Amino acid sequence: MNLILLGPPASGKGTQAEFLSQKLNIPTLSMGQLLREEVKRKTTIGQQVAEIMSSGELVPNSLSNELLWRRIQQADCQQGFILDGFPRTRIQAKFLDDKLKDWQKKIDHVVLVVITDEEVVRRLAGRRTCSQCGDIYHLEFNPPKQPGKCDECGGKLIIRPDDTEQAIRQRLKIYHEETEKVVEYYQQQGKLLKVDGNQSIESVRDNIFRLILNPASAG
Ligand code: AMP
C-alpha cells in the first residue's frame, strides 16, 4: 500500500506514520527528516536548505523532488511506503503521480489529519525532537520517560529551529497557501480520507486504521 499523510505542522502526521509503518510493515519517508539529515551531514543539498528550513519556508521543489525520488527507489519501498511531508505543493504532487505512473504504481490513499491553527500553535510550544534519531515528543501529551532524553536512542531532545513562533506562523501560512491545493488535488482524485486530529493519539490512530482498511466507512 502506498499512502500519503497530509496535515498542518504538528497535526500528528509523524506519530501516526510510525504506527502505520509498524502495522503495515512498510517504511515511512519523512521529507522533513530526509532534509534534516542532509543538513546534519552538511551535504551540498544540506548547505543549500539549512537557512530556508529554519525560516519555515519550503525548499525548492526540484530539491525535494530529487531527494524523495532517490529515497523511494530504494529496495525497502518496493512493497509500499508512507509519505509524511511530501507532497506539499501541487507541483510535487504532479511529479509524484507522473513518476509512479512510469513505474505502474500509484498512491492508494491520502489521509488528511485536520486540526485548527490555534491547536498547531499550542502543540508546537511543547514539542521536543530527538537530535539523534528525530523522534518527536510533547512535554504534556507524549513526554519522554526521562526529561530531555529520547526513549529510543538516548539522544538529547531539542526545540527545532523552525518551531519558533515566527517560523510557525510562516509554516502555517504556507500550509494554507500551498498544501491545501494538494488536499484539493487528491480530493478530486477521490483518494482523500479525513480524520479529526484534535482527538487523542490513540483515537486518531484507530480512525486512520479503520479508514484505510475500509475506505467506504469514511461517510
Ligand atoms: P517537517 O518536518 O515536515 O515539518 O518539515 C520541516 C521543513 O522541511 C519544512 O518547514 C520545509 O522547510 C522543509 N520541507 C519538508 N518537506 C518539504 C517539501 N515537501 N517541500 C519543500 N520543503 C519541505
Side-chain angles (χ1 to χ4, degrees), residues 34-43 45-47 49-50 53:
L34 286 176
L35 286 163
R36 280 187 288 278
E37 275 160 25
E38 297 286 320
V39 171
K40 204 164 153 190
R41 286 174 26 227
K42 297 195 169 66
T43 61
I45 290 186
Q47 290 175 19
V49 301
M53 290 176 72

Side-chain angles (χ1 to χ4, degrees), residues 109 111 193-195 206-219:
H109 302 297
V111 177
L193 301 168
K194 279 191 201 173
V195 174
D206 294 347
N207 280 330
I208 293 178
F209 285 160
R210 178 177 54 78
L211 283 174
I212 61 166
L213 298 175
N214 181 15
S217 69

Side-chain angles (χ1 to χ4, degrees), residues 31-32 35-36 53 56-59 64 85-86 88 92 160 162 171:
M31 179 51 69
L35 286 163
R36 280 187 288 278
M53 290 176 72
E57 298 285 341
L58 293 183
V59 314
S64 47
F86 191 99
R88 264 174 151 104
Q92 294 176 7
R160 262 169 46 177
D162 58 347
R171 287 161 72 197

